[in-house]
C-alpha cells in the first residue's frame, strides 16, 4: 500500500525520536532552521531579541521564551544562530549552561570557535561548532544539497545527529572545535576567489556588444570544467611533488600574464583583482627555474610563508 500525501506529511512531522530543542536567533537563517525543525516534528523553543519575529513560528507550534536564559533552561539541546560572536556572548551570559549541549552555528573564525568551546565547556556544557554551507532557501530542502560542517564534541554530535540533520545534511570534521569554521571559511574563501574572477570577466566585456546573458553559460561551464584542478592540487600537495600530473606548466602560464594585463588595460578595466595572484605566480617561478615545470600548486606554499 502506498502512502497518501497526508500520510507522508504526518510521518515527516513525527520523527523516530523527537528531540526537544532551543534555538536562539530568528534572523533569516534562524527562521529557516526553526521552520525545518518544526516541519520535522521536533518540539522547539525559540528566543529572539526582536520578539515580533517569534510570532509566525509560535503560530506553527514553537514555544516562545521571554529571555535567552529561559530558552536555554527549557531544553538540553541549545542551538545558537545569532549574527556574530558578540550577541552570542551576551545571550549566553545570563544562562545556566550546566548539562546543556550547545551547538553554535554562528559564522566565525576557528580561534573564536575554540575560545567559545573552552568558555562553554568550563560552564558545564558540551560544545559543538557549526559552519552552514547553505543559504536560507536551501534549508529543509535536501535536494538543494544544504549541509553543515560540525566540529567539537563527538558525543554531542552523535547523540543529536538525527535532529541536527533535519534542516540540512551533517558533516562532522573533528574534535577540534575550530575545524568546522576552518572548513567553512576555506570553502567560502575559494568562492570569493571565483566571484572575483567572474567580476573581472564581466568587466572585460562590459561596454562591448557582448550580452552578459550570453557570456554567462560559457563562463559557468568553463569554471565547472576547471574544477578538476582542485583535486589535482590536493594530490600534488599530498605527494609533495608539484611536477606530477602537470597539464599547463607555470613557465607557460607566467608567459601569458602580460596578455591578461594588457587586455584589461585595452578594455579600461582595473587589474586589481588579478595582479595579486599573478604576482605570486611570478615569484614562484623567479625563486627557482625548475619551478617552471610545476603548475600553480607552489602558490599555496608562498601564501603560508
Ligand atoms: P540576520 O541578520 O538575518 O539575523 C541576525 C540575528 O542575530 C537576528 O536574530 C538578530 O536579532 C540577532 N542579533 C543581531 N545582533 C544582536 C544583538 N546585539 N543581540 C541579540 N541578537 C542580535 O542573519 P542570519 O540569520 O542570516 O545569520 C545568522 C548566522 O548564520 C550568521 O552568523 C551568518 O553568518 C550565518 N549564516 C547565514 C547565511 C545566510 O545566507 N543568511 C549562510 C550561512 C551562515 P533581531 O531579529 O533582534 O535583529
Amino acid at each position: 500500500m502506498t502512502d497518501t500525501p497526508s500520510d507522508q506529511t504526518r510521518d515527516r512531522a513525527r520523527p523516530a525520536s523527537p528531540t526537544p530543542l532551543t534555538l536562539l536567533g530568528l534572523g533569516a537563517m534562524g527562521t529557516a532552521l526553526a521552520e525545518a525543525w518544526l516541519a520535522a516534528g521536533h518540539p522547539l523553543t525559540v528566543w529572539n531579541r526582536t520578539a515580533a519575529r517569534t510570532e509566525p513560528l509560535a503560530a506553527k507550534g514553537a514555544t516562545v521564551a521571554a529571555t535567552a536564559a529561559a530558552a536555554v533552561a527549557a531544553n538540553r539541546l541549545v542551538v545558537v544562530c545569532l549574527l556574530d560572536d558578540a550577541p552570542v556572548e551576551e545571550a549566553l551570559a545570563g544562562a545556566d549552561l550546566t548539562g546543556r549541549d550547545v551547538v553554535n552555528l554562528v559564522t566565525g573564525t576557528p580561534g573564536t570557535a575554540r575560545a567559545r568551546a573552552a568558555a562553554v565547556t568550563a560552564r558545564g556544557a558540551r560544545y559543538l561548532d557549526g559552519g552552514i554551507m547553505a543559504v536560507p532557501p536551501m534549508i529543509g530542502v535536501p535536494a538543494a544539497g544544504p549541509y553543515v560542517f560540525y566540529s567539537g564534541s563527538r558525543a554531542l554530535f552523535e547523540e543529536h545527529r538525527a535532529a541536527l540533520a533535519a534542516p540540512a545534511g551533517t558533516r562532522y570534521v573533528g574534535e577540534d572545535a575550530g575545524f568546522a569554521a576552518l572548513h567553512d571559511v576555506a570553502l567560502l574563501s575559494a568562492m570569493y576567489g571565483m566571484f572575483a574572477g567572474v567580476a573581472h570577466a564581466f568587466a572585460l566585456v562590459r561596454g562591448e556588444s557582448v550580452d552578459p546573458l550570453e557570456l554567462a553559460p560559457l563562463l559557468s561551464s568553463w569554471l565547472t570544467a576547471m574544477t578538476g584542478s582542485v583535486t589535482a592540487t590536493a594530490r600534488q600537495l599530498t605527494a609533495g611533488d608539484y611536477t606530477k600530473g602537470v597539464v599547463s606548466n607555470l613557465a607557460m602560464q607566467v608567459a601569458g600574464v602580460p596578455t591578461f594585463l594588457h587586455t584589461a588595460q585595452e578594455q579600461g578595466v582595473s587589474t586589481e583583482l588579478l595582479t595579486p595572484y599573478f604576482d605570486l605566480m611570478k615569484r614562484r617561478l623567479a625563486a627557482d627555474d625548475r619551478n617552471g615545470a610545476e603548475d600553480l600548486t607552489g602558490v599555496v606554499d608562498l601564501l603560508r610563508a
Side-chain angles (χ1 to χ4, degrees):
M1 204 174 109
T2 46
D3 285 349
T4 64
S6 61
D7 288 335
Q8 288 165 1
T9 308
R10 265 205 312 276
D11 287 348
R12 205 171 156 236
R14 251 191 258 131
S17 50
T19 304
L21 75 156
T22 284
L23 175 62
L24 306 181
L26 296 174
M29 184 54 82
T31 299
L33 294 169
E35 283 176 352
W37 274 311
L38 289 171
H42 297 284
L44 183 69
T45 300
V46 294
W47 171 82
N48 194 60
R49 175 181 62 176
T50 306
R53 283 180 135 165
T54 62
E55 285 162 17
L57 294 162
K60 291 178 183 173
T63 302
V64 177
T67 63
V72 170
N75 294 301
R76 185 166 155 208
L77 178 57
V78 177
V79 180
V80 185
C81 192
L82 296 161
L83 187 61
D84 54 24
D85 198 52
V88 177
E89 177 72 30
E90 217 175 296
L92 296 183
D96 181 0
L97 298 184
T98 315
R100 301 293 99 168
D101 285 338
V102 176
V103 180
N104 184 17
L105 298 182
V106 174
T107 304
T109 71
T112 304
R114 288 169 186 142
R116 179 66 52 210
V120 164
T121 308
R123 292 170 63 189
R126 295 191 294 188
Y127 183 85
L128 191 66
D129 206 81
I132 305 172
M133 300 310 300
V135 290
M138 293 164 74
I139 298 297
V141 184
Y147 69 89
V148 179
F149 285 120
Y150 287 105
S151 65
S153 168
R154 183 183 286 274
L156 187 171
F157 175 72
E158 293 298 345
E159 198 169 316
H160 299 299
R161 194 176 195 157
L164 293 175
T170 60
R171 294 198 188 179
Y172 182 79
V173 287
E175 294 271 353
D176 183 331
F179 272 19
L182 186 62
H183 283 72
D184 183 11
V185 174
L187 268 58
L188 293 176
S189 300
M191 175 191 79
Y192 280 114
M194 181 188 75
F195 288 166
V198 168
H200 186 86
F202 277 121
L204 283 178
V205 302
R206 199 112 175 109
E208 302 278 0
S209 57
V210 176
D211 183 346
L213 280 172
E214 283 178 15
L215 185 71
L218 302 172
L219 200 46
S220 186
S221 60
W222 176 247
L223 291 173
T224 304
M226 289 299 101
T227 57
S229 71
V230 175
T231 304
T233 301
R235 286 209 180 100
Q236 290 179 347
L237 288 170
T238 304
D241 180 351
Y242 304 166
T243 61
K244 271 194 179 149
V246 170
V247 176
S248 304
N249 71 58
L250 184 62
M252 179 282 288
Q253 297 206 54
V254 168
V257 164
T259 299
F260 291 93
L261 300 179
H262 291 149
T263 302
Q265 277 155 12
E266 285 174 16
Q267 296 302 109
V269 170
S270 164
T271 58
E272 64 197 307
L273 289 173
L274 292 186
T275 41
Y277 192 69
F278 286 152
D279 286 347
L280 286 163
M281 286 164 57
K282 287 190 263 185
R283 256 172 63 201
R284 178 72 186 178
L285 183 62
D288 186 338
D289 276 351
R290 285 166 304 178
N291 291 344
E294 302 177 350
D295 49 25
L296 299 168
T297 302
V299 167
V300 177
D301 291 347
L302 283 183
L303 288 176
R304 286 209 60 96

